Amino acid sequence: MTPAAGGDAGRREEETRAVAAEVFQRFGTAFADACRAGGRTNVTWIGGGVVVRVAGTPGATDLRREAALAAVLPPQAGYPRVLGSGTTRGREWMVTAEIPAENLDDAWASLDWDRRIEAVRQLWARARAVHGTDPAAAAPLARPRNPFYAQHPGEAAAGLARLHAAGVLTRAEHDRLGTLLDRFWAALPDAARVLNHGDFSPVNALWDGSRVVSLLDFEFAVLAPVHLDLNELVKIAFTPVEPGVTLTEGDAKGRRRLQEAVTGLAGPFLRTPADIDLLLGHAVQLETWGLEREWAKPGREGFRDWEPYRLLTAWAHTDGGHYAPLLGALR
């Protein structure tokens, strides 16, 4: 990070802290007692029974949209009670009631495989409740587009072209992935749209020690085929292990059991070739976005070990890539 970039990050942190302090005061809670939580696009603090999220950049509109969207989500989503939202110093903020639970991603390592499998089942059940939201009610409140996915074929093709021009993808890999995207765009017009979470993963869920109690952070919610969220479910089970990691016999068995469970959950949505094209098309777009994002950072010489690269090149070289066991089981 350059000194200028570090200075910018410091100023942004100070600005969001100042807004958060004002919001905590408005809700009668001492900011000094709040704890900084995670967050990428928004900055989150928790304290005094409330959760305060502040937009990471001025002018962003996702939080007020999310506050309005929360009103039409079904109770089964487990979304926390919204206490207020607004704009202070040009930054949007949102306040929800704190749910006494742990982030599922943080809890994951401490769970045995039985509980992991049950957690994934419960996580998907909450997503399915979201998918049942009335599309007409959700449409004005969802994001007009999800930034992880292209709006049109040319935009998707441009991402692959940039990776090829940078020497990350070979011409053959570029062409094979382009073919998968062509199939996606051909299948897309006939696909039903539902409200998708848009950033569906254990990172955006809460675990109370025995069950998944909440699905959080709908800032990227969008109307799209269910396969957008489905791809994230599949990734939980079928993403390859990191290079150099050797699973114990117990973990290898547990991973296979998780894959079997996810295959059962995914099966009803992968009945036709078009369904598979929609799954793989969303997958290629998400990993293209991720690979470009990582490529822009220092340390790019190690890109062949990055998860997005390994997923993309597997799809480019084999039918189904790392999703082949899933797709093979459904044939």
Side-chain angles (χ1 to χ4, degrees):
M1 178 183 293
T2 66
D8 289 343
R11 282 191 295 274
R12 287 195 295 270
E13 178 71 14
E14 290 177 7
E15 291 167 358
T16 55
R17 284 181 64 86
V19 172
E22 289 188 27
V23 174
F24 269 95
Q25 184 178 25
R26 180 179 301 194
F27 283 82
T29 301
F31 179 61
D33 297 332
C35 297
R36 177 79 148 76
R40 292 178 297 183
T41 55
N42 301 302
V43 188
T44 304
W45 284 269
I46 304 173
V50 300
V51 178
V52 174
R53 294 165 66 201
V54 179
T57 56
T61 60
D62 288 323
L63 287 179
R64 294 190 75 173
R65 182 188 302 112
E66 182 174 339
L69 181 64
V72 304
L73 293 176
Q76 294 85 352
Y79 193 86
R81 182 165 53 93
V82 177
L83 302 178
S85 63
T87 302
T88 298
R89 304 188 186 191
R91 291 178 185 267
E92 287 194 347
W93 52 265
M94 178 181 178
V95 181
T96 56
E98 181 184 2
I99 296 175
E102 182 180 8
N103 183 281
L104 177 58
D105 189 60
D106 293 339
W108 188 262
S110 68
L111 304 181
D112 60 30
W113 283 101
D114 285 339
R115 290 193 295 170
R116 289 178 182 179
I117 292 168
E118 184 56 30
V120 169
R121 292 185 186 278
Q122 294 173 5
L123 186 64
W124 185 240
R126 294 199 179 274
R128 290 298 295 143
V130 172
H131 301 156
T133 305
D134 178 10
L141 307 173
R143 235 179 183 265
R145 67 162 297 178
N146 185 307
F148 311 144
Y149 305 92
Q151 286 187 296
H152 53 79
E155 183 182 352
L160 292 180
R162 287 190 295 269
L163 291 173
H164 171 57
V168 178
L169 297 177
T170 66
R171 168 54 66 181
E173 290 165 348
H174 167 277
D175 291 350
R176 171 59 176 159
L177 293 170
T179 298
L180 294 179
L181 288 179
D182 289 343
R183 294 175 181 169
F184 167 82
W185 293 111
L188 186 61
D190 293 329
R193 266 57 168 183
V194 300
L195 181 66
N196 282 256
H197 179 276
D199 193 16
F200 176 72
S201 79
V203 171
N204 290 322
L206 293 180
W207 172 261
D208 74 352
S210 60
R211 61 194 180 97
V212 175
V213 293
S214 180
L215 194 54
L216 303 169
D217 295 0
F218 279 74
E219 66 207 79
F220 297 118
V222 66
L223 290 176
V226 68
H227 306 81
L228 187 151
D229 277 351
L230 183 69
N231 172 58
E232 294 276 28
L233 172 73
V234 172
K235 279 188 66 175
I236 294 172
F238 289 92
T239 294
V241 298
E242 295 181 8
V245 172
T246 300
L247 297 178
T248 66
E249 181 178 350
D251 281 340
K253 181 179 179 180
R255 179 177 164 87
R256 288 192 297 271
R257 289 177 55 217
L258 177 61
Q259 290 177 343
E260 290 170 0
V262 168
T263 298
L265 296 173
F269 310 98
L270 296 173
R271 297 188 185 279
T272 69
D275 287 331
I276 294 171
D277 292 338
L278 290 166
L279 173 71
L280 294 180
H282 280 107
V284 168
Q285 291 177 71
L286 181 61
E287 302 313 321
T288 298
W289 174 86
L291 186 51
E292 284 205 281
R293 180 173 178 268
E294 293 303 311
W295 183 254
K297 300 177 182 179
R300 63 178 62 178
E301 63 276 359
F303 72 88
R304 288 181 176 83
D305 288 338
W306 298 345
E307 180 181 294
Y309 175 81
R310 290 182 291 132
L311 284 165
L312 283 173
T313 52
W315 288 314
H317 289 281
T318 60
D319 186 16
H322 292 286
Y323 291 2
L326 163 73
L327 302 178
L330 297 175
R331 290 194 180 102

